[in-house]
């Protein structure tokens, strides 16, 4: 193992113990002891004032330079490209420019419209595999086909959206190629010295950020959640190649069979699992006004919540109620609209990471717990918010 | 049916607090638990066993204290449990973990079904299930929310995607990852707890598994953590000022900075 | 405090707490509001083998005794007394079979009770007979094939939900104390019906109903024990189950105490949490001390019974009286500490206060039990002279 502890230098001060994110250090009889599971992250070395812990520096080892190029798997459904494809191309363009290499999009499906948009968003080449067999996002076929393309063209970086499709089949590609995959990256940078992709992602539910590299294996693969990176403005004048590739039918057959698809129109996002909740209170005035909040929720991919008074009035069903006698939630973002902030409601949401409140009463108790507050008429603020968010997504 | 369920021991809370003065982790009172998503996998395995007959074996790759969690698995219906533990396995990324688990599953013989939870609380990657499936050469379905039928070597199931759910038919043996919606895990029974207390849980080391030491643990990992840091906490209590339009824009900017939108 | 429980007892207590916190806590307010019988929780208890705790191994049980039963009841009651009493009443309804049943009767009924498939209930009380048990009027006349039951039982816990009822009825009215017998009557027997469900102050999740017998023919083999032992059987059985009521009260008081401490730590008035006020601190200190004393008395009574003691009337009565009075005091004080919000149904303590009252009344009112304790004292003194 490449971590060395010098017990002579160790004074048993214990500063390293809380620094280890994995809780692997303990002081036993006034000296430090390391448990199993060390990932060489180096946090303990930083915390030690006595240089008693040395973590060997990561050596840039020789990687074949025959791997070149940044690829983005451009996901589509029912012939329409998903926004995450454009978001990743925008980021991919930046990475490709830093590396001085080309950016390619890889697209599988059938009857995909607007493939040229991929070039407008930055791709120099698009590898397009258009086949009826791929119309249903058949994962066995997607896996085999992507592996084939990667083995043929050897990109150094492959990015894909961390969608249910991406998180299903991209790991299979990585396993076949025996290369490293980092999921749900929120940051991607290039370390030019080692020509390495620095992949930053949240762990422990977002409480700790880790930067990860895939040193020797290629391609370096990452999945990225939708809406993490911003889309550029598309440049219709950009030139690029669309390369049609035939589906390699010999390589793989599809073992699973799609029998049917049922669209979910009821509860789009479950309240307890939602990352973002838009919530309404008495200030909404009447049942119909929840539609306004639902619109905001849809734009943000959020769940819809409520304080108690609207539920009591029958404006919304009990399953949306948050508070002492409703659900307790802890989303990353909680937007309270027209909610005064009574103790009973706060009990159900006050541990949210970021709390935003919109209320026309500057003395409403909710403003005591907000991260950001807007004192104003929610019927003016919310439509404005919707308009601006929609504008960014378009 | 021979069913294998892969489970992992994780820290009991992700709400690791930061000491504002030293900017280090506050770790008291954090005990280890079984990864919550894995409890759904285990419950589904036990339910299938109760329906179709067979045996549920649960395996975990982890340090010696993970044995406690494997005992709990027996208390809720697993027939046997095996711990894969060796200093050689430590520091593994998902690739090395998947390899190790796959070798263990091969050693167990050819199970009919392998079930995992959709992701872990600490790693959150959801990669071990699919990577393991590929190493075993088995069909794979993620985000399974309901098993409708098992008949003549085929399984018909529902799985969730963003837009709704798909009904899929997959031949067995196969690897599945399941979501919370699939069931409500049972609590242990007193007889189960008695069984788990007296159960013998074998520990398989690298040598017993016959793995290539370069494919496991830190050596077998393709990725490595080179830095960890604590994200900047957002400051509390700002009432935005100015014209309405600029306040809304300012809010959006701040939310974007926090990577929420 | 160290209770010197065995490993098995600790396992049972821990599992009961988990069930209470994971399965009962989320639904207790709704069960109370809707006065719904907690069938889903009964199933969870059954799946976890909790009904096996008070049944011998020969009949599918785990062979536990009074203390094991008390541990479960206490943990369930800490979260919801209504659910706890539904479980405990099934145990009470099973005791006659356990103590006096024939081998055939045990084999026929105990396995289903142990698996939680069927619940039991005990039926003594009538409109004319509460504390004065001997004033019952329900009669069981000899008839071809068995006994014909006629009469009405009142306020029977698990009435309507249970399938197996032990009913105390008069077989020989003129014989007074030796005039009653115990019968096993199954739900669905012709002539056996139920009255409406009572609307109660508390323990509203529990079903309390009248049992109506109109020419209900009970087969010969369903008499428990011999004719005439009904009242003696009843007295002994109630002694045996009293620590369970005590456990119910202790659990309830514990839940109220914990809620009060949590609230006092977070409620800020005059710039400080109210737990920093000495008046509140003293209330909490008294509450905590009394709950602990009640618990120890209940455990001691239960262990005395489990040790095979012949006579445990006094211990059982003391445990029940002290624990139930404690529960009433502690839950009332808890509401007081919560203040205005404690009076609101959004918060759990008003329910706890409503739940506590009945523990002072049923299974021997505390007044009657004080008589019994005094009687034991006199008896002992008299023997020494």
């Amino acid at each position: 193992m490449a971590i060395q502890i010098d017990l002579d230098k160790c004074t048993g001060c214990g500063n390293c113990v809380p620094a280890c994110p994995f809780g692997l250090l303990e002081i036993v009889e006034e000296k430090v002891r390391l448990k199993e599971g060390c990932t060489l992250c180096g946090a303990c070395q930083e915390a030690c004032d006595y240089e008693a812990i040395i973590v060997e520096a990561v050596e840039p080892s020789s990687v074949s330079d025959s791997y070149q190029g940044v690829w983005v798997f451009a996901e589509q459904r029912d012939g329409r490209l998903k926004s995450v494809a454009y978001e990743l191309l925008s980021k991919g363009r930046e990475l490709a420019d830093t590396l001085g290499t080309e950016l390619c999009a890889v697209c599988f499906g059938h009857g995909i419209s607007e493939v040229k948009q991929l070039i407008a968003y930055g791709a120099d080449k698009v590898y397009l595999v258009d086949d009826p067999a791929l119309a249903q996002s058949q994962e066995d076929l997607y896996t085999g086909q992507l592996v084939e393309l990667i083995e043929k063209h050897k990109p150094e970086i492959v990015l894909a959206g961390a969608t249910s499709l991406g998180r299903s089949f991209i790991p299979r590609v990585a396993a076949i190629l025996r290369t490293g995959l980092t999921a749900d990256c929120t940051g991607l940078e290039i370390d030019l010295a080692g020509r390495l992709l620095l992949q930053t992602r949240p762990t422990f539910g977002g409480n700790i950020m880790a930067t990860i590299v895939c040193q020797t294996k290629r391609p370096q693969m990452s999945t990225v959640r939708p809406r993490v990176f911003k889309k550029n403005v598309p440049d219709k004048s950009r030139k690029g190649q669309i390369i049609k590739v035939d589906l390699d039918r010999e390589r793989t057959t599809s073992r699973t069979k799609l029998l049917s698809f049922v669209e979910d129109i009821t509860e789009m996002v479950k309240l307890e699992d939602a990352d973002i909740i838009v919530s309404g209170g008495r200030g909404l005035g009447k049942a119909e006004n929840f539609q306004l909040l639902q619109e905001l929720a849809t734009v943000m991919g959020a769940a819809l919540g409520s304080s108690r008074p609207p539920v009591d009035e029958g404006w919304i069903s009990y399953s949306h109620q948050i508070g002492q006698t409703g659900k307790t939630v802890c989303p990353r973002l909680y937007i309270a609209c027209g909610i005064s902030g009574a103790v009973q409601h706060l009990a159900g949401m006050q541990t949210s990471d970021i709390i935003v409140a919109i209320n026309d009463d500057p003395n409403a108790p909710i403003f005591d717990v907000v991260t950001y507050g807007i004192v104003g008429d929610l019927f003016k603020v919310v439509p404005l918010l919707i308009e601006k968010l929609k504008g960014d997504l378009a | 049916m021979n069913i294998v369920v892969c489970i992992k021991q994780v820290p009991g809370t992700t709400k690791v607090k930061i000491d504002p003065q030293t900017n280090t982790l506050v770790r008291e009172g954090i005990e280890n638990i079984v990864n919550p998503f894995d409890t759904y996998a285990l419950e589904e395995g036990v339910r299938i066993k109760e329906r179709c007959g067979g045996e549920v074996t649960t395996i975990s790759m982890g340090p010696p204290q993970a044995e406690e969690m494997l005992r709990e698995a027996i208390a809720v219906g697993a027939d046997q449990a095996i711990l894969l533990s060796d200093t050689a396995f430590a520091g593994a990324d998902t690739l090395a973990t998947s390899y190790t688990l796959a070798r263990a599953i091969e050693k167990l013989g050819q199970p009919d079904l392998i079930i995992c939870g959709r992701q872990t609380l600490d790693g959150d990657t959801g990669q071990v299930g699919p990577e393991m499936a590929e190493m075993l050469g088995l069909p794979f379905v993620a985000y399974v929310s309901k098993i409708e039928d098992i008949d003549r070597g085929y399984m018909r199931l529902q799985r969730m995607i963003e837009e709704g759910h798909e009904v899929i038919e997959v031949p067995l043996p196969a690897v599945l990852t399941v979501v919370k919606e699939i069931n409500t895990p049972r609590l242990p029974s007193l007889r189960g707890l008695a069984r788990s207390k007296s159960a013998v849980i074998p520990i398989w080391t690298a040598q017993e598994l016959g793995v290539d030491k370069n494919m496991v643990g830190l050596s077998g990992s393709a990725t490595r953590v080179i830095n960890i840091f604590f994200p900047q906490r957002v400051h509390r209590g700002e009432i935005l000022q100015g014209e309405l339009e600029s306040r809304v824009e300012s809010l959006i900017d701040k939310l974007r900075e926090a990577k929420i939108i | 405090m160290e209770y010197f429980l065995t490993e098995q007892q600790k396992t049972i207590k821990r599992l009961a707490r988990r069930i209470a916190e994971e399965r009962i806590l989320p639904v207790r307010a709704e069960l109370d509001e809707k006065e719904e019988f907690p069938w889903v929780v009964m199933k969870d208890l059954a799946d976890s083998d909790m009904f096996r705790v008070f049944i011998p191994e020969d009949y599918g049980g785990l062979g536990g005794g009074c203390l094991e039963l008390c541990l479960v009841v206490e943990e369930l009651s800490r979260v919801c007394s209504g659910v706890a009493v539904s479980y405990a009443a099934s145990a009470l309804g099973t005791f006659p079979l356990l103590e006096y049943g024939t081998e055939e009767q045990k084999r026929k009924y105990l396995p289903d009770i142990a698996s939680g498939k069927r619940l039991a209930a005990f039926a003594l009380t009538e409109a004319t007979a509460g504390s004065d048990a001997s004033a019952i009027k329900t009669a069981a006349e000899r008839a071809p094939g068995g006994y014909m039951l006629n009469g009405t039982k009142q306020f029977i816990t698990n009435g309507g939900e249970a399938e197996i009822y032990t009913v105390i009825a008069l077989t020989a009215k003129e014989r007074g104390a030796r005039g009653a017998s115990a019968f096993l009557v199954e739900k669905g027997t012709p002539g056996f019906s139920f009255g409406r469900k009572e609307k109660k102050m508390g323990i509203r999740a529990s079903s309390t109903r009248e049992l109506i017998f109109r020419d209900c023919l009970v087969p010969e083999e369903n008499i428990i024990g011999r004719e005439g032992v009904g009242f003696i059987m009843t007295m002994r059985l109630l002694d045996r189950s009293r620590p369970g009521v005590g456990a119910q009260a202790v659990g309830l008081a514990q839940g109220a105490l914990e809620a009060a401490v949590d609230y006092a730590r977070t409620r800020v008035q005059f710039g400080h949490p109210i737990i920093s006020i000495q008046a509140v601190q003293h209330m909490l200190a008294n509450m905590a001390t009394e709950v602990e004393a009640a618990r120890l008395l209940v455990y001691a009574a239960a262990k005395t019974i489990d040790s095979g003691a012949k006579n445990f009337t006094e211990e059982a009565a003391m445990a029940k009286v002290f624990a139930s009075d404690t529960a009433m005091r502690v839950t009332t004080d808890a509401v007081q500490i919560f203040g205005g919000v404690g009076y609101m149904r959004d918060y759990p303590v008003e329910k706890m206060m409503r739940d506590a009252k009945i523990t002072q009344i049923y299974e021997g009112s505390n007044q009657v039990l004080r008589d019994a304790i005094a009687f034991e004292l006199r008896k002992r003194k008299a023997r020494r002279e």
Side-chain angles (χ1 to χ4, degrees), chain C residues 330-347:
Chain C
V330 168
T331 53
T332 307
D333 283 347
V335 173
Q336 190 69 18
I337 289 173
F338 268 72
V341 303
Y343 203 69
M344 304 307 156
R345 302 227 299 266
D346 289 344
Y347 290 79

Side-chain angles (χ1 to χ4, degrees), chain A residues 304-359:
Chain A
L304 189 63
S306 171
S307 65
R308 196 174 140 176
V311 175
D312 286 345
E313 297 289 343
W315 301 345
I316 193 169
S317 69
Y318 177 72
S319 64
H320 295 266
Q321 187 173 320
I322 293 170
Q324 181 79 29
T325 47
K327 294 186 170 123
T328 301
V329 296
C330 183
R332 298 195 62 211
L333 172 62
Y334 189 87
I335 304 181
C337 308
I339 293 177
S340 63
V343 170
Q344 288 92 331
H345 183 68
L346 295 184
M349 44 60 72
Q350 64 195 345
T351 56
S352 308
D353 287 352
I354 295 182
I355 299 172
V356 171
I358 305 166
N359 196 305

Side-chain angles (χ1 to χ4, degrees), chain A residues 21 139 164 167-168 172 201 207 209 211 213 257 259-260 262 264 273 369-373 375 388, chain B residues 14 27 123-125 134 159 162-163 165 167 169 180 224 226-227 229 236-238 240 247 249 254:
Chain A
E139 284 169 27
S164 54
R167 299 186 84 201
S168 277
R172 296 172 58 183
R201 69 179 302 265
N207 288 290
M209 305 299 286
T211 304
V213 295
K257 192 159 84 173
L259 298 177
S260 65
V262 177
D264 186 2
D273 301 329
V369 299
V370 294
T371 316
Y372 304 116
V375 179
K388 293 213 173 285
Chain B
T14 58
R27 290 209 60 124
D124 291 314
T125 64
E134 216 48 57
R159 68 90 162 259
E162 284 90 353
E163 296 82 2
H165 71 262
V167 179
E169 190 183 81
K180 285 195 304 196
R224 179 166 293 198
I226 59 165
N227 187 30
F229 58 96
R236 299 237 142 215
E238 190 183 335
L240 302 175
R247 277 188 277 163
E249 278 173 4
K254 289 183 194 296

Side-chain angles (χ1 to χ4, degrees), chain B residues 5 18 20 23 26 49-50 61 74 91 102 114 123 138-139 144 148 156 161-162 166 192 197 206 211 214 216 259:
Chain B
V5 179
I18 285 92
N23 204 38
V26 177
K49 169 190 78 159
E50 286 171 347
M61 187 187 92
I74 294 179
I114 299 149
L138 295 178
V144 176
E148 287 186 357
R156 192 175 73 240
I161 57 175
E162 284 90 353
E166 293 178 333
K197 231 174 138 191
V211 292
N214 292 323
V216 301
K259 297 232 190 262

